[in-house]
Amino acid sequence: KNEGSVWSPSTTLTSLPKTNAKAVLTSMDWDIITIQQASGYSGLSGTYNDDINTIINVVKTYCPNAKIYWHMTWAYQSNSGHADFAKYDKDRTKMYNGIIDAVQNKILTNDSFSGVIPVGTMIENLRGLVGDNITRDGYHLKYEEGRFAAGMCWYAYLTGKDVADIKFRPTASITPEFLESIKIAVSHAIEKPFEVTDK
């Protein structure tokens, strides 16, 4: 039993392999849809092209009432072996700054987006508190700590609720101290979505 838990799943997630976008968009009455850039290109403004508007138009066609948000991805871990990391000279800060630049110049200027979920900044904040060890392979978030932190950021941003009183910890690997670090990282990212705050 998780005393103080503020979240419980009311539905289960379903994986739909080999399913096209139309089938997913028409599968239910979505209220929120998020879009993101492929992680390796997320800090390269030149890759944010008219395809974004093509995707937005498809979403609006099938889900005219849904709000569209941008999911800001995160920079790779400093020791990442991902081939795309070379595009940033294998420099985590350079990749993060590229992500911020792309979002500010290509996404915030697009009126179709209702907002930007600042997971990329939250991860940088968290790294400043607990170390550069939030991924399981240098770029994908760890199943427990990383994904839970990202989920907390989504929760705080999309609901507007403060995470300070959350006590729920889905696994023992998320210690009370780590949970407090997540809360700090999330709160700072919501307050300053385009600036690293690691204290």
Side-chain angles (χ1 to χ4, degrees), residues 46-82:
T47 67
Y48 288 60
N49 53 39
D50 288 340
D51 291 347
I52 291 175
N53 292 322
T54 300
I55 294 169
I56 288 169
N57 289 335
V58 170
V59 170
K60 287 181 174 179
T61 296
Y62 295 113
C63 303
N65 299 318
K67 291 183 177 180
I68 303 172
Y69 289 86
W70 185 261
H71 171 225
M72 181 203 297
T73 56
W74 49 91
Y76 293 160
Q77 195 163 297
S78 294
N79 62 354
S80 177
H82 195 293

Side-chain angles (χ1 to χ4, degrees), residues 30-35 59-60 63-70 112-115 117 158:
W30 300 102
D31 55 351
I32 292 173
I33 293 173
T34 65
I35 299 173
V59 170
K60 287 181 174 179
C63 303
N65 299 318
K67 291 183 177 180
I68 303 172
Y69 289 86
W70 185 261
S112 294
F113 289 103
S114 295
I117 305 170
L158 294 174

Side-chain angles (χ1 to χ4, degrees), residues 75-76 78 85 88 90-99 124:
Y76 293 160
S78 294
F85 202 26
Y88 310 94
K90 298 186 177 183
D91 183 324
R92 191 183 94 210
T93 300
K94 184 174 183 178
M95 186 174 184
Y96 171 75
N97 289 336
I99 292 167
E124 283 303 303

